[in-house]
């Protein structure tokens, strides 16, 4: 009998298989079978009788039943093809198959119905041990990443990963275990064991974290949530002999145990060059109630709204904000405070060089806000349209923000007044390059305004690379 790959929308084959008949009868039988199959394929009332998975080795069949069950609900051929394609995407999303092919055939056998169909998924499992080498772009830093992964460890899409990263400002290695809920891949649990060493030249600080964390991710209505507990031993030290006394005073060992929750809603059509949609992300972190030296409540949010205008231009508005409240009379740590400034936030200022500082070292702040307004347009005259040129955008921007420490004994009006005074802002224009769908590069000409004493500015050309931009 004929077969059709569900990923193709080409005309369906109407020829039959060799039935071993005499050549004189072949034409007559082919015509009869042709008419029969044509009738079956055009019949709107089809029944998926069997769904088979071929090529399984160490994967447990009960895991895959959740991913392919909707194929049985299809009522016509087009619906079968659509639901089979969705099931194929779900199987690939599990990260345990190298290839998944879909074959749709008319049913065969004693129990075959005239309008019955069989769907077969032909899978190729990934190797038990895989390695990877790649480069990553962070917020104005780059790194080389080496990884070893054991996919499908216990046969139900579990994943054990070891990763080593060496970067311009950070070196890390860690071991993680990932376990999704069968039938609901978005609901998953991750356990991490890690060590991270970072350098922060704007604060003359170096930090080494050794920790363990556990994360639970789950969707709820239209939102995505992450619950996390982290226990980390932090070692702070001076990056240079010229470090200020305020930074030296922060040096030493501390223990941090924190619970955090992140809620996000993201309906943008792209994370890097969105043309429509909005993003809202709210994060809360509570440290100290489960042990450790650090004790604080930290809240921050991110909001972005995008709207398409004429001539393929896009207007984008962003707003960030946050505050940190020390608990129990303990002062906040330089490692927990907010930082602001640089090519990924308030452009025209040095990297994290806005706000409280001591002897040239920036100490961060306990409250901040930042806003941005962007007009993105295609390159003039649209060179490389439909190809390489679509990776670029020109943009005109206006950024503003402030970072400070608050006296929590005062009222909200005093807090708002302090956040509004000494506002830094900048404007300019530049070119943006998209790197895949995870990062971007910016080359901007910036004009900083509202500069305060101690701020480090970048008046003129500024380059930025990162995954999160204001």
């Amino acid at each position: 009998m004929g077969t059709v790959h569900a990923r193709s929308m080409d005309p369906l084959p109407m020829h039959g298989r060799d039935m071993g008949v005499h050549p004189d009868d072949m034409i007559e039988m082919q015509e009869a079978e042709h008419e029969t199959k044509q009738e079956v394929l055009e019949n709107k009332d089809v029944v998926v009788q069997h769904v088979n998975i071929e090529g399984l080795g160490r994967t447990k069949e009960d895991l895959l039943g959740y991913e392919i069950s909707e194929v049985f609900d299809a009522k016509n051929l087009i619906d079968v093809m659509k639901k089979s394609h969705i099931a194929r995407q779900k199987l690939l999303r599990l990260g345990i198959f190298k290839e998944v092919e879909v074959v749709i055939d008319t049913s065969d056998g004693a129990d075959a119905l005239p309008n019955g169909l069989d769907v077969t998924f032909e899978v190729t499992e990934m190797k038990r041990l895989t390695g990877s080498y790649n480069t990553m772009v962070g917020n104005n830093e780059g790194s080389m990443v080496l990884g070893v992964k054991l996919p499908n460890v216990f046969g139900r899409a579990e994943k054990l990963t070891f990763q080593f990263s060496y970067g311009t400002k950070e070196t890390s290695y860690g071991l993680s275990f990932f376990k999704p809920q069968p039938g609901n891949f978005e609901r998953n649990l991750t356990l991490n064991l890690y060590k991270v060493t970072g350098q922060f030249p704007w604060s003359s600080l170096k930090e080494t974290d050794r920790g363990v964390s556990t994360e639970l991710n789950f969707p709820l209505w239209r939102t995505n949530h992450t619950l996390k507990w982290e226990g980390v031993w932090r070692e702070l030290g001076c990056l240079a002999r010229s470090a200020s006394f305020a930074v030296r005073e922060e040096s030493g060992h501390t223990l941090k145990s924190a619970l955090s929750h992140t809620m996000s809603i993201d309906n943008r059509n792209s994370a890097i060059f969105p043309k429509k949609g909005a993003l809202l992300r709210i994060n809360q972190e509570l440290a100290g109630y489960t042990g450790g030296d650090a004790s604080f409540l930290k809240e921050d949010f991110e909001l972005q709204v995008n709207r398409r205008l004429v001539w393929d231009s896009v207007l984008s508005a962003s707003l960030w904000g946050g505050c940190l409240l020390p608990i129990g009379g303990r002062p906040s740590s330089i490692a927990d405070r907010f930082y602001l400034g640089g090519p990924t936030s308030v452009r025209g200022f040095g990297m994290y060089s806005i706000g409280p500082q001591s002897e040239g070292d920036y100490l961060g702040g306990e409250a901040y806000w930042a806003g941005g307004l962007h007009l993105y347009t295609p390159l003039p005259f649209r060179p490389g349209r439909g190809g390489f040129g679509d990776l670029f955008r020109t943009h005109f921007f206006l950024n503003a923000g402030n970072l400070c420490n608050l006296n929590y004994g005062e009222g909200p009006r005093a807090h708002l007044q302090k956040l509004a005074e000494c506002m830094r802002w900048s404007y300019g224009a530049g070119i943006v390059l998209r790197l895949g769908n995870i990062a971007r590069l910016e080359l901007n000409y910036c004009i900083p305004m509202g500069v305060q004493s101690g701020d480090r500015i970048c008046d003129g050309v500024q380059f930025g690379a990162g995954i999160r931009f204001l």
Side-chain angles (χ1 to χ4, degrees), residues 394-454:
T394 57
H395 78 137
F396 305 88
F397 62 85
L398 174 65
N399 296 154
N402 194 16
L403 176 76
C404 61
N405 292 316
L406 300 178
N407 182 352
Y408 289 100
E410 301 174 344
R413 179 173 296 181
H415 295 166
L416 292 174
Q417 183 177 355
K418 190 166 186 180
L419 284 168
E421 66 187 15
C422 302
M423 179 182 71
R424 285 82 163 175
W425 62 284
S426 65
Y427 64 94
I431 297 177
V432 185
L433 169 64
R434 174 170 61 88
L435 297 177
N437 204 33
I438 57 172
R440 77 187 204 186
L441 306 179
E442 288 189 5
L443 184 63
N444 300 317
Y445 188 87
C446 309
I447 302 176
M449 306 293 289
V451 180
Q452 304 297 314
S453 176

Side-chain angles (χ1 to χ4, degrees), residues 35-76:
E35 294 175 359
T36 302
K37 297 184 70 176
Q38 180 76 23
E39 182 181 345
V40 170
L41 295 175
E42 290 182 351
N43 193 335
K44 294 183 179 180
D45 184 21
V46 301
V47 177
V48 177
Q49 290 191 261
H50 306 99
V51 177
N52 306 307
I53 302 179
E54 297 180 354
L56 294 182
R58 61 185 185 278
T59 305
K60 308 298 183 184
E61 291 189 11
D62 61 305
L63 168 71
L64 307 182
Y66 297 101
E67 313 299 333
I68 65 175
S69 60
E70 292 185 0
V71 177
F72 285 103
D73 299 331
K75 301 301 181 183
N76 56 64

Side-chain angles (χ1 to χ4, degrees), residues 67-138:
E67 313 299 333
I68 65 175
S69 60
E70 292 185 0
V71 177
F72 285 103
D73 299 331
K75 301 301 181 183
N76 56 64
L77 181 62
I78 300 300
D79 200 21
V80 172
M81 297 178 70
K82 288 181 179 179
K83 291 186 181 300
S84 297
H85 175 73
I86 293 173
R88 176 180 178 270
Q89 295 300 112
K90 289 182 177 181
L91 292 175
L92 288 171
R93 182 185 58 176
L94 294 175
I96 61 178
F97 298 123
K98 186 177 180 180
E99 294 179 357
V100 177
E101 298 288 340
V102 185
V103 177
I104 301 175
D105 198 354
T106 51
S107 295
D108 194 8
D111 61 342
L113 299 175
N115 60 343
L117 295 178
D118 290 347
V119 179
T120 302
F121 294 88
E122 300 174 352
V123 302
T124 302
E125 292 185 339
M126 297 185 69
K127 296 179 180 179
R128 292 183 179 273
L129 180 65
T130 63
S132 63
Y133 165 81
N134 53 65
T135 56
M136 291 184 62
V137 177

Side-chain angles (χ1 to χ4, degrees), residues 204-215:
S204 298
L205 179 73
K206 62 179 180 181
E207 178 180 353
T208 300
D209 293 349
R210 304 172 180 87
V212 59
S213 68
T214 177
E215 295 181 20

Side-chain angles (χ1 to χ4, degrees), residues 138-150:
N139 284 332
N140 235 38
E141 64 175 309
S143 59
M144 175 191 69
V145 182
L146 300 174
V148 177
K149 181 170 63 176
L150 283 74

Side-chain angles (χ1 to χ4, degrees), residues 358-376:
S358 174
E359 302 174 37
D361 293 334
Y362 295 91
L363 307 177
E366 294 178 351
Y368 88 102
W369 70 271
L373 190 65
H374 294 257
L375 177 63
Y376 294 96

Side-chain angles (χ1 to χ4, degrees), residues 200 205-209 233-239 247-254 333-336:
F200 310 97
L205 179 73
K206 62 179 180 181
E207 178 180 353
T208 300
D209 293 349
W233 167 26
R234 304 187 295 191
E235 181 181 357
L236 304 180
C238 298
L239 190 59
V247 173
R248 295 177 184 275
E249 204 174 25
E250 296 266 6
S251 299
H253 298 264
T254 61
S333 168
I334 191 173
D336 297 317

